Amino acid sequence: MTQKNTRNFAIIAHIDHGKSTLADRIMEQTQTVNDRDSKAQLLDDLQVEQAHGVTVKSRTVRNYYHADDGQEYTYNFIDTPGHVDFTYEVSKSLAASDGALLLVDATQGVQAQTVANLRLAQDNHLVVIPVINKIDAAAADVDRTVEQIRALAPEFATTEILKISAKTGLNVHDVLEAIHTRIPAPVGDMTQPLKALVFDSQYDAFKGIIAYVRVVDGKLTTADKLTLMANDQAVAANEIGIFAPQRVATKQLSAGDVGYVVTGLKDPQALRVGDTLTSAVTPTATALPGYQPSQSMVFAGFYPQGDHYHDLQLAVEKLALNDTSFHYHAESSDALGAGFRCGFLGIFHLQIIRERLHDEYGLDVLTTAPNVTYRVHLKNEDEPVVVNNPIAFPDYAKIDFVEEPLAAATITTTSESLSDVMKLATQHKGELQDMHNQGDLVVLVYQLPFAEIAYDFFNALKSVSHGYATLTTELSGYDIADVVKIEVHVNYAKVDALSFVVHREDAPKVAQELVHKLKFVIPRKLYPMPVQSVVEGKALARVDVPPLRKNAAASGEKKSTSKKQALLRRQSVNKRQAAHSDIELPQEVFNAVLDLEK
């Protein structure tokens, strides 16, 4: 297949606008998948994707299309997620594409993540083809959707907007024609030294690391000796091939092609997404710019249940390779033992990783409360201490001041829910920076503490806007904040894994809520156990977990009440001392911290 007949494209859309359904129709009409293998949402093969009905992991598939002009075209389609937590996956897919289909649901209209993903495509200088889906639905408002799309960008004012039904296949043929007529062929020189972008990767237990590549210049064959330019890592091309949608081995990948390379590498740290793959014999002079590594927004601790630390270590290493926006490093807790400090793009991302650990590796993990990174300035110290784990938060007597990360949050919503959205942002200590209209939508720019949006802000935003709002955030710097560390003491023993950091003004309310939740989830002993929330050495709240026993002193013997009480006290003290450090915490205890409305 010649390079001029190759097209690399992605589909971008708001969540649940029919992107995976359109992908199914494209594969059907290009006969990529036979009837026996065909099924709904074929590319969403992870169990967690099917459970939530969302795309989590980008997928790639090659289609061969016989066009109306009599020529055959190669369509390399790179799938993208629609949820805001997986924007990084979208950016990786677009870096390997030359064009994008902007899919909009005719019953919903342009929604916020539609706008956010369009911005990503424009930043990558891609040709964007607007497509309206679900035109056959009873609630479809095609004319209004057309007006919204035309207001999104100046180039949409005169461009043809395609109208389809991905469910029935209506007018999908027009989309297939538009791909080769409106999206340009890849630009690359086959005579130049090999230069390929590693835009994704996967770990296979038998074959090792499989790199997903977009060949920019040159040719790639299995006989080549290769090098990853970032770390000068030698790579053997044990197998190369394409996705159809399963891996199919080929003899060669040329400039403009999208495919895979079985590297044979077993160390998950050896390959970095965004790296440049080139020939070891005749390397290219300059590496591709790649793209910025993802920034973790939320941090939480993962600890194995039972004696499964090594299994958890292998699982997180492989997940970090398959999901390059998931970061981790080893840590240890007095209460929970050895585990990992993990970084995520958001709370939904955290939930997805937990479910993948369970579904793919059979591991249930204890998850600590999520938090963000603080800069703690100590007295008589010039350099601040960077803290992303509350356990490492310095003693309050040593702290001069603390800086917290701020987010420049762009919220796109409808005018109907504007008031509720602004009220929600104000409740989370947001400061309005800018507000303007984008078609029928209102764009709000807020400055918010990252700690306020780390946990449930996006879910609350979806709730108050009835699903029509979205959120894009980027780090806008650090600012001084009055924050304190809340420590949890169970049976007078500090449980470091339950510690978290909050703003001082919220501490009393949060402390009270926490101990009352823990009262019902901490496993009971044969004696009453006090649970305290301690801030700067002072207990702000306390409850007693009731004992799991009958009154041992109230036997058939006739004793005075005072002697019975004295016996109970001695019994309680002895058992308390014996079990001072024997504190076992189920996940329900950590969920109590997660459920706090901070």
Side-chain angles (χ1 to χ4, degrees):
M1 186 66 64
T2 60
Q3 186 176 337
K4 67 184 181 72
N5 281 19
T6 299
R7 300 292 184 271
N8 300 320
F9 71 97
I11 304 177
I12 52 177
H14 188 89
I15 189 170
D16 203 31
H17 275 212
K19 176 173 51 58
S20 296
T21 307
L22 177 57
D24 291 344
R25 296 293 85 74
I26 289 175
M27 287 187 289
E28 276 182 15
Q29 296 199 12
T30 55
Q31 298 179 340
T32 303
V33 181
N34 58 40
D35 293 340
R36 187 179 67 178
D37 295 332
S38 180
K39 63 178 181 179
Q41 277 77 45
L42 179 65
L43 296 183
D44 294 342
D45 58 350
L46 293 178
Q47 185 174 334
V48 69
E49 292 177 319
Q50 296 164 5
H52 289 276
V54 300
T55 302
V56 169
K57 189 82 178 81
S58 296
R59 287 287 307 276
T60 304
V61 60
R62 174 177 287 196
N63 308 277
Y64 295 101
Y65 175 60
H66 296 277
D68 292 348
D69 62 5
Q71 299 188 51
E72 185 180 58
Y73 291 86
T74 299
Y75 287 175
N76 292 313
F77 164 55
I78 305 171
D79 194 17
T80 65
H83 195 280
V84 68
D85 270 15
F86 302 100
T87 301
Y88 187 64
E89 285 285 321
V90 178
S91 67
K92 291 192 305 181
S93 298
L94 296 182
S97 303
D98 299 304
L101 304 178
L102 178 68
L103 194 65
V104 182
D105 186 339
T107 65
Q108 307 283 349
V110 170
Q111 290 186 264
Q113 200 59 30
T114 311
V115 180
N117 288 338
L118 173 61
R119 291 192 195 117
L120 287 175
Q122 291 171 332
D123 291 343
N124 282 272
H125 308 292
L126 302 186
V127 173
V128 179
I129 302 175
V131 181
I132 298 176
N133 189 24
K134 305 183 185 180
I135 61 171
D136 56 342
D141 190 343
V142 178
D143 293 338
R144 176 172 167 269
T145 307
V146 168
E147 292 176 7
Q148 291 177 337
I149 292 175
R150 296 210 183 278
L152 285 177
E155 58 267 28
F156 291 164
T158 56
T159 191
E160 180 189 0
I161 299 175
L162 304 177
K163 305 175 182 65
I164 69 166
S165 170
K167 185 175 182 179
T168 64
L170 176 67
N171 296 336
V172 172
H173 178 77
D174 296 340
V175 175
L176 292 169
E177 283 294 308
I179 291 172
H180 75 82
T181 57
R182 293 162 68 171
I183 293 177
V187 178
D189 190 345
M190 295 190 189
T191 62
Q192 293 293 317
L194 174 65
K195 182 189 290 186
L197 171 69
V198 179
F199 69 90
D200 209 344
S201 59
Q202 181 186 358
Y203 189 90
D204 185 278
F206 301 101
K207 297 184 177 182
I209 297 174
I210 301 173
Y212 294 18
V213 296
R214 156 76 189 269
V215 182
V216 177
D217 288 325
K219 298 178 181 178
L220 174 60
T221 66
T222 51
D224 294 340
K225 294 181 179 179
L226 307 173
T227 300
L228 290 166
M229 297 185 72
N231 300 320
D232 198 25
Q233 171 72 52
V235 174
N238 296 338
E239 178 184 314
I240 64 173
I242 60 170
F243 300 96
Q246 305 305 320
R247 292 194 299 268
V248 177
T250 58
K251 294 181 179 179
Q252 177 177 293
L253 293 175
S254 304
D257 285 342
V258 175
Y260 69 89
V261 178
V262 177
T263 65
L265 298 172
K266 293 293 185 179
D267 179 10
Q269 307 297 325
L271 181 140
R272 184 171 65 85
V273 170
D275 203 348
T276 301
L277 188 70
T278 188
S279 170
V281 180
T282 55
T284 183
T286 56
L288 293 164
Y291 31 80
Q292 291 292 325
S294 65
Q295 283 191 330
S296 297
M297 301 301 180
V298 174
F299 295 87
F302 278 0
Y303 294 90
Q305 293 188 2
D307 188 20
H308 297 293
Y309 175 80
H310 184 62
D311 295 337
L312 179 60
Q313 181 183 21
L314 292 175
V316 296
E317 285 179 352
K318 294 171 184 176
L319 274 182
L321 186 67
N322 291 347
D323 184 349
T324 51
S325 50
F326 167 58
H327 302 118
Y328 71 93
H329 64 265
E331 73 168 5
S332 181
S333 161
D334 293 340
L336 301 177
F340 295 92
R341 195 76 190 163
C342 304
F344 309 91
L345 297 178
I347 287 296
F348 185 59
H349 188 203
L350 186 157
Q351 179 186 348
I352 291 296
I353 293 294
R354 279 184 61 185
E355 292 186 21
R356 289 188 67 183
L357 284 171
H358 177 271
D359 296 341
E360 298 174 30
Y361 301 98
L363 292 172
D364 290 311
V365 294
L366 291 171
T367 309
T368 62
N371 67 281
V372 297
T373 301
Y374 294 94
R375 289 180 183 169
V376 182
H377 294 258
L378 303 177
K379 297 173 182 176
N380 305 319
E381 295 284 345
D382 294 331
E383 292 296 321
V385 178
V386 178
V387 178
N388 62 19
N389 187 344
I391 297 174
F393 207 80
D395 185 78
Y396 67 94
K398 300 177 182 178
I399 295 175
D400 186 12
F401 64 92
V402 180
E403 291 181 301
E404 69 174 350
L406 297 177
T410 303
I411 303 172
T412 311
T413 185
T414 58
S415 55
E416 291 82 2
S417 56
L418 177 62
S419 176
D420 292 333
V421 169
M422 294 182 73
K423 188 183 298 182
L424 177 69
T426 303
Q427 290 171 353
H428 286 77
K429 303 177 177 61
E431 294 181 6
L432 182 63
Q433 306 288 310
D434 188 21
M435 179 170 66
H436 60 272
N437 291 336
Q438 188 163 36
D440 292 343
L441 299 173
V442 181
V443 180
L444 304 168
V445 180
Y446 272 92
Q447 185 165 280
L448 286 147
F450 251 120
E452 291 292 325
I453 60 175
Y455 180 47
D456 208 31
F457 181 79
F458 183 67
N459 288 341
L461 179 65
K462 284 290 187 185
S463 178
V464 300
S465 66
H466 307 291
Y468 287 99
T470 195
L471 170 73
T472 56
T473 59
E474 61 182 29
L475 186 66
S476 66
Y478 284 76
D479 195 14
I480 295 176
D482 189 9
V483 296
V484 294
K485 174 183 176 182
I486 293 185
E487 297 177 347
V488 177
H489 292 197
V490 179
N491 196 22
Y492 302 110
K494 182 171 74 173
V495 183
D496 54 0
L498 289 177
S499 302
F500 57 96
V501 178
V502 297
H503 288 85
R504 186 183 298 274
E505 62 185 273
D506 297 332
K509 175 175 176 285
V510 171
Q512 289 286 348
E513 289 181 359
L514 176 60
V515 295
H516 284 91
K517 283 179 177 288
L518 292 178
K519 177 180 179 180
F520 299 102
V521 294
I522 289 181
R524 294 199 281 173
K525 301 283 188 179
L526 294 176
Y527 50 85
M529 286 194 304
V531 179
Q532 297 168 298
S533 292
V534 179
V535 174
E536 296 183 346
K538 298 176 182 177
L540 293 189
R542 166 181 168 151
V543 297
D544 283 342
V545 178
L548 187 68
R549 59 119 170 89
K550 293 182 179 179
N551 191 337
S555 59
E557 303 177 27
K558 293 183 178 179
K559 294 180 180 178
S560 65
T561 302
S562 60
K563 286 189 175 182
K564 291 177 182 178
Q565 294 300 324
L567 178 59
L568 274 175
R569 283 195 295 272
R570 288 198 302 274
Q571 179 192 58
S572 180
V573 169
N574 291 338
K575 289 180 178 177
R576 201 187 301 277
Q577 289 175 345
H580 185 71
S581 60
D582 184 23
I583 302 171
E584 295 183 4
L585 301 177
Q587 181 60 45
E588 288 76 10
V589 176
F590 296 96
N591 290 344
V593 181
L594 295 175
D595 290 340
L596 288 174
E597 292 185 7
K598 300 177 184 175

